[in-house]
Amino acid sequence: KLPFGFSLEAEAAFEAGHTRADVGKQDWNTRKLAYSLDFSKMTCKLGDNLQALRRLDAKGDQTHPDPSLEHPYVAKRLAGRVDDWLTDAAFFDAFKSQIGLPSGVTADSIFDFSRNEDFRGHTSDLKPMTRGGQ
C-alpha cells in the first residue's frame, strides 16, 4: 500500500490530464523515493520495480483501468506466451486438488501469473554448483 500523500499527488496529476508524472517531490515522501507514473499504461515505477496501478474511488471501487477488462500491464506481460499443457489454469487445478480451497477462491486472488517465466527450454553455459565446495 502506498502512502496517503502519494495518492493525493498522483490523483492531482491524473485529474490534470497528465499521461505521465513523477510523484514524490512533496513533504510526505520522507524517504525521497522517486515514483514514475504512466497513466496510459496504468503503471507505477519505483527504481527497477514496475507495478500495475489501479485508481479507486472514495468507496474503494476500481475506476481505472476498466475493472471488467484485464489490466493493460498484466495483458502485456502475458502476451506472447506459448499455449501448451502447462497453463496457469492447469497449475491452479493441480494446486486446488492438493490444498482443498474453499469454493469461490480464484487463482488471481492467490497468484500473480504475470510474473511467471518458463525455464523448460533454458540452456546455460554456466557450470553447475554443488554444495560442499566441490
Tab-separated table of all heavy atoms in Angstrom, residues 2 6 10 16-17 21 26 46 48-50 56 65 81 83 88 94 96-97 108 116 132:
chain	number	residue	atom	x	y	z
A	2	LEU	N	0.517	2.193	-0.802
A	2	LEU	CA	1.311	3.416	-0.936
A	2	LEU	C	0.872	4.470	0.083
A	2	LEU	O	-0.260	4.459	0.551
A	2	LEU	CB	1.151	3.958	-2.350
A	2	LEU	CG	1.761	3.053	-3.416
A	2	LEU	CD1	1.279	3.464	-4.795
A	2	LEU	CD2	3.256	3.071	-3.338
A	6	PHE	N	1.125	10.058	-1.462
A	6	PHE	CA	1.315	9.584	-2.838
A	6	PHE	C	-0.015	9.612	-3.567
A	6	PHE	O	-0.108	10.084	-4.701
A	6	PHE	CB	1.884	8.158	-2.843
A	6	PHE	CG	1.868	7.507	-4.198
A	6	PHE	CD1	2.964	7.613	-5.032
A	6	PHE	CD2	0.765	6.795	-4.639
A	6	PHE	CE1	2.960	7.028	-6.287
A	6	PHE	CE2	0.744	6.208	-5.885
A	6	PHE	CZ	1.852	6.325	-6.710
A	10	ALA	N	-0.679	11.748	-6.881
A	10	ALA	CA	-0.985	11.001	-8.106
A	10	ALA	C	-2.362	11.374	-8.636
A	10	ALA	O	-2.547	11.544	-9.840
A	10	ALA	CB	-0.904	9.503	-7.832
A	16	ALA	N	-5.436	16.327	-13.673
A	16	ALA	CA	-4.932	17.382	-14.552
A	16	ALA	C	-4.765	16.889	-15.989
A	16	ALA	O	-4.460	17.678	-16.878
A	16	ALA	CB	-3.606	17.915	-14.020
A	17	GLY	N	-4.955	15.596	-16.197
A	17	GLY	CA	-4.893	15.052	-17.549
A	17	GLY	C	-3.512	14.644	-18.010
A	17	GLY	O	-3.303	14.390	-19.192
A	21	ALA	N	3.731	11.192	-14.942
A	21	ALA	CA	4.020	12.100	-13.829
A	21	ALA	C	5.106	11.501	-12.957
A	21	ALA	O	5.157	10.292	-12.763
A	21	ALA	CB	2.762	12.336	-12.997
A	26	GLN	N	6.961	15.960	-2.771
A	26	GLN	CA	6.353	16.738	-1.689
A	26	GLN	C	6.780	16.190	-0.330
A	26	GLN	O	7.446	15.156	-0.221
A	26	GLN	CB	4.836	16.737	-1.852
A	26	GLN	CG	4.421	17.426	-3.157
A	26	GLN	CD	2.917	17.517	-3.308
A	26	GLN	OE1	2.168	17.176	-2.421
A	26	GLN	NE2	2.484	17.995	-4.466
A	46	LEU	N	9.065	2.315	-9.368
A	46	LEU	CA	9.893	2.765	-8.262
A	46	LEU	C	11.218	2.033	-8.401
A	46	LEU	O	11.282	0.820	-8.195
A	46	LEU	CB	9.244	2.460	-6.919
A	46	LEU	CG	10.065	2.773	-5.670
A	46	LEU	CD1	10.414	4.250	-5.610
A	46	LEU	CD2	9.317	2.362	-4.416
A	48	ASP	N	13.746	-0.113	-10.134
A	48	ASP	CA	13.593	-1.111	-11.194
A	48	ASP	C	12.277	-1.864	-11.087
A	48	ASP	O	12.009	-2.756	-11.889
A	48	ASP	CB	14.747	-2.119	-11.145
A	48	ASP	CG	16.066	-1.489	-11.530
A	48	ASP	OD1	16.040	-0.502	-12.291
A	48	ASP	OD2	17.116	-1.983	-11.080
A	49	ASN	N	11.466	-1.556	-10.098
A	49	ASN	CA	10.231	-2.279	-9.839
A	49	ASN	C	9.057	-1.597	-10.543
A	49	ASN	O	8.726	-0.461	-10.241
A	49	ASN	CB	9.991	-2.340	-8.328
A	49	ASN	CG	8.837	-3.217	-7.950
A	49	ASN	OD1	8.291	-3.940	-8.773
A	49	ASN	ND2	8.460	-3.160	-6.693
A	50	LEU	N	8.430	-2.296	-11.477
A	50	LEU	CA	7.272	-1.780	-12.199
A	50	LEU	C	6.037	-2.536	-11.743
A	50	LEU	O	6.018	-3.767	-11.756
A	50	LEU	CB	7.479	-1.950	-13.712
A	50	LEU	CG	6.425	-1.328	-14.613
A	50	LEU	CD1	6.437	0.194	-14.488
A	50	LEU	CD2	6.672	-1.728	-16.057
A	56	LEU	N	-8.871	3.997	-7.540
A	56	LEU	CA	-10.085	3.649	-6.814
A	56	LEU	C	-10.858	4.906	-6.463
A	56	LEU	O	-10.275	5.964	-6.233
A	56	LEU	CB	-9.743	2.896	-5.524
A	56	LEU	CG	-8.808	1.693	-5.650
A	56	LEU	CD1	-8.529	1.103	-4.280
A	56	LEU	CD2	-9.383	0.656	-6.586
A	65	PRO	N	-7.716	1.052	-14.481
A	65	PRO	CA	-8.329	0.816	-15.783
A	65	PRO	C	-9.669	0.118	-15.614
A	65	PRO	O	-10.027	-0.274	-14.499
A	65	PRO	CB	-7.323	-0.066	-16.510
A	65	PRO	CG	-6.583	-0.767	-15.424
A	65	PRO	CD	-6.555	0.185	-14.251
A	81	ARG	N	2.859	-15.549	-24.672
A	81	ARG	CA	3.089	-16.824	-24.008
A	81	ARG	C	2.673	-17.965	-24.921
A	81	ARG	O	1.688	-17.884	-25.634
A	81	ARG	CB	2.274	-16.917	-22.727
A	81	ARG	CG	2.893	-16.235	-21.571
A	81	ARG	CD	2.085	-16.583	-20.374
A	81	ARG	NE	2.830	-16.372	-19.170
A	81	ARG	CZ	2.310	-16.561	-17.986
A	81	ARG	NH1	1.085	-16.964	-17.868
A	81	ARG	NH2	3.031	-16.367	-16.917
A	83	ASP	N	0.995	-21.401	-25.633
A	83	ASP	CA	-0.039	-22.242	-25.021
A	83	ASP	C	0.368	-23.704	-25.135
A	83	ASP	O	0.624	-24.198	-26.224
A	83	ASP	CB	-1.385	-22.020	-25.706
A	83	ASP	CG	-1.976	-20.664	-25.363
A	83	ASP	OD1	-1.727	-20.184	-24.243
A	83	ASP	OD2	-2.681	-20.099	-26.206
A	88	ASP	N	-1.635	-21.710	-16.710
A	88	ASP	CA	-1.964	-21.208	-15.374
A	88	ASP	C	-3.159	-21.970	-14.802
A	88	ASP	O	-3.190	-22.298	-13.617
A	88	ASP	CB	-2.271	-19.713	-15.440
A	88	ASP	CG	-1.084	-18.894	-15.930
A	88	ASP	OD1	0.063	-19.388	-15.848
A	88	ASP	OD2	-1.312	-17.767	-16.391
A	94	ALA	N	-4.286	-28.280	-10.280
A	94	ALA	CA	-3.445	-29.196	-9.510
A	94	ALA	C	-3.246	-28.676	-8.085
A	94	ALA	O	-3.310	-29.441	-7.114
A	94	ALA	CB	-2.105	-29.388	-10.208
A	96	LYS	N	-5.277	-26.664	-6.371
A	96	LYS	CA	-6.546	-26.816	-5.631
A	96	LYS	C	-6.762	-28.255	-5.177
A	96	LYS	O	-7.256	-28.497	-4.089
A	96	LYS	CB	-7.734	-26.397	-6.508
A	96	LYS	CG	-7.939	-24.932	-6.616
A	96	LYS	CD	-9.278	-24.569	-7.226
A	96	LYS	CE	-9.577	-25.355	-8.491
A	96	LYS	NZ	-10.750	-24.891	-9.218
A	97	SER	N	-6.415	-29.207	-6.056
A	97	SER	CA	-6.656	-30.614	-5.713
A	97	SER	C	-5.814	-31.049	-4.515
A	97	SER	O	-6.202	-31.964	-3.792
A	97	SER	CB	-6.383	-31.516	-6.910
A	97	SER	OG	-5.003	-31.589	-7.175
A	108	ASP	N	-6.424	-15.819	-9.382
A	108	ASP	CA	-5.890	-14.457	-9.345
A	108	ASP	C	-5.908	-13.840	-7.947
A	108	ASP	O	-5.187	-12.883	-7.693
A	108	ASP	CB	-6.667	-13.558	-10.310
A	108	ASP	CG	-6.409	-13.937	-11.760
A	108	ASP	OD1	-5.333	-14.482	-12.045
A	108	ASP	OD2	-7.288	-13.684	-12.598
A	116	ASN	N	5.235	-15.124	-14.113
A	116	ASN	CA	5.722	-16.460	-14.451
A	116	ASN	C	6.738	-16.423	-15.589
A	116	ASN	O	6.603	-15.641	-16.518
A	116	ASN	CB	4.560	-17.370	-14.878
A	116	ASN	CG	3.683	-17.748	-13.719
A	116	ASN	OD1	3.910	-17.340	-12.598
A	116	ASN	ND2	2.672	-18.536	-13.998
A	132	GLY	N	29.064	-28.079	-0.577
A	132	GLY	CA	30.261	-28.687	-0.008
A	132	GLY	C	31.549	-28.157	-0.625
A	132	GLY	O	32.618	-28.689	-0.374
